[in-house]
Amino acid sequence: FFFNDTATTEIYTRSIVGSVRCVQETGINAEYMGIYCKNREMSDKVVPELVKKKEQRDAELKKKGDEAKLKKKADNKLKLAECIKRGEKWYKFDLAEKKALIDNKRQAKKAGNYYVPAEAKVAFVVRIKGINTLHPKPRKVLSLLRLRQLHNGVFVRLNKATIQMLRLIEPYVTYGYPNKETISKLIYKRGFVKEDGARIPIQNNEQIEKHLGKFGIICIEDLIHEITECGPHFKEANNFLWAFKLNPPKGGFN
């Protein structure tokens, strides 16, 4: 279109070009919106395959996790019942031993004799001196018995070899023969175990069963009984326990 006025013609041309552009852009946007809405409607009806697989995998993992939790809960219940049963068993065993000891003493007294109880099987050794002016041989013996620090304590099986070792290091240690009550208090209050070379406090029976279960020791009462009676697996049970770190006596040694 041409007008007599040049300015009018230019304005009219610009308005037509702008309208065409607007129509083109609107058409593109409308087409895009139509495709988007169509895809959205399809997505509401059809679930992608990857999403289906993920949902199926999550459901399977959740099911397995719930089954594992229920199984572990049931196993823990059975283990707890077994530990209680074993504790009662060792309690009755100790009562029977005490009763037998009293009966033997009474019978010997009645017959006009003396009853001599069996020698102690286990000693508890505590280091009371440091490393100053220490001869290499006693130092080696202390290291073998795991008495590397002052006021460390360990259980030692008494036999000919260990008795000779104790005599060699007598100036640097003190020792005695603990009963079950003392051993139980030490393990319950000061007990630490060795796990992957680290000193870990005894927190539950799973720690004991994990390392000593193959020897039939599944709870702390089994461990105490094995140490007290110096059982066939005393070495494994004793090595599993970390050396006891004790406090110095108040007022020093007499």
Side-chain angles (χ1 to χ4, degrees), residues 8-24:
T8 305
T9 304
E10 186 177 353
I11 291 169
Y12 186 76
T13 305
R14 286 180 180 178
S15 64
I16 291 174
V17 172
S19 300
V20 170
R21 285 179 180 174
C22 183
V23 169
Q24 287 177 350

Side-chain angles (χ1 to χ4, degrees), residues 191 193 200-207:
V193 296
I200 307 296
I202 298 176
Q203 297 174 338
N204 50 49
N205 290 324
E206 290 182 4
Q207 292 174 291

Side-chain angles (χ1 to χ4, degrees), residues 170-237:
E170 267 184 344
Y172 313 103
V173 299
T174 182
Y175 60 92
Y177 312 111
N179 56 15
K180 183 174 180 180
E181 185 180 358
T182 305
I183 294 172
S184 179
K185 284 182 178 179
L186 276 169
I187 292 177
Y188 270 107
K189 294 183 178 181
R190 297 276 183 167
F192 284 77
V193 296
K194 193 185 301 180
E195 285 190 6
D196 300 326
R199 181 173 179 261
I200 307 296
I202 298 176
Q203 297 174 338
N204 50 49
N205 290 324
E206 290 182 4
Q207 292 174 291
I208 299 170
E209 186 180 7
K210 179 182 175 182
H211 294 85
L212 301 177
K214 55 188 175 183
F215 304 117
I217 302 171
I218 63 170
C219 62
I220 194 167
E221 290 298 327
D222 287 345
L223 181 62
I224 293 169
H225 177 78
E226 192 73 17
I227 297 293
T228 307
E229 296 299 321
C230 196
H233 302 292
F234 174 86
K235 181 180 177 181
E236 291 82 1

Side-chain angles (χ1 to χ4, degrees), residues 105-150:
K105 285 183 177 180
R106 285 176 179 172
Q107 288 176 7
K109 186 177 180 180
K110 189 176 181 180
N113 299 323
Y114 293 99
Y115 175 75
V116 181
E119 292 183 356
K121 302 175 184 177
V122 179
F124 186 70
V125 187
V126 181
R127 182 169 177 170
I128 58 173
K129 286 192 177 180
I131 61 173
N132 291 342
T133 67
L134 189 62
H135 193 271
K137 198 168 185 179
R139 186 195 298 252
K140 180 64 176 178
V141 174
L142 289 169
S143 178
L144 289 173
L145 294 178
R146 300 188 298 158
L147 297 171
R148 298 182 180 89
Q149 294 177 339
L150 196 62

Side-chain angles (χ1 to χ4, degrees), residues 19-49:
S19 300
V20 170
R21 285 179 180 174
C22 183
V23 169
Q24 287 177 350
E25 290 177 2
T26 307
I28 291 170
N29 291 336
E31 183 180 357
Y32 172 75
M33 289 299 293
I35 294 170
Y36 173 76
C37 294
K38 188 176 181 181
N39 289 339
R40 189 169 182 182
E41 289 175 2
M42 290 176 66
S43 65
D44 292 340
K45 296 177 182 178
V46 181
V47 180
E49 191 66 24

Side-chain angles (χ1 to χ4, degrees), residues 30-79:
E31 183 180 357
Y32 172 75
M33 289 299 293
I35 294 170
Y36 173 76
C37 294
K38 188 176 181 181
N39 289 339
R40 189 169 182 182
E41 289 175 2
M42 290 176 66
S43 65
D44 292 340
K45 296 177 182 178
V46 181
V47 180
E49 191 66 24
L50 289 176
V51 176
K52 284 183 181 179
K53 288 182 179 179
K54 183 178 182 302
E55 290 176 352
Q56 184 179 1
R57 184 177 68 250
D58 292 345
E60 290 176 358
L61 289 173
K62 186 177 182 300
K63 185 180 178 182
K64 288 181 180 177
D66 293 341
E67 290 175 355
K69 285 181 182 177
L70 290 173
K71 187 176 182 301
K72 187 176 180 181
K73 189 176 180 180
D75 291 344
N76 288 340
K77 194 174 181 181
L78 292 174
K79 287 177 183 177

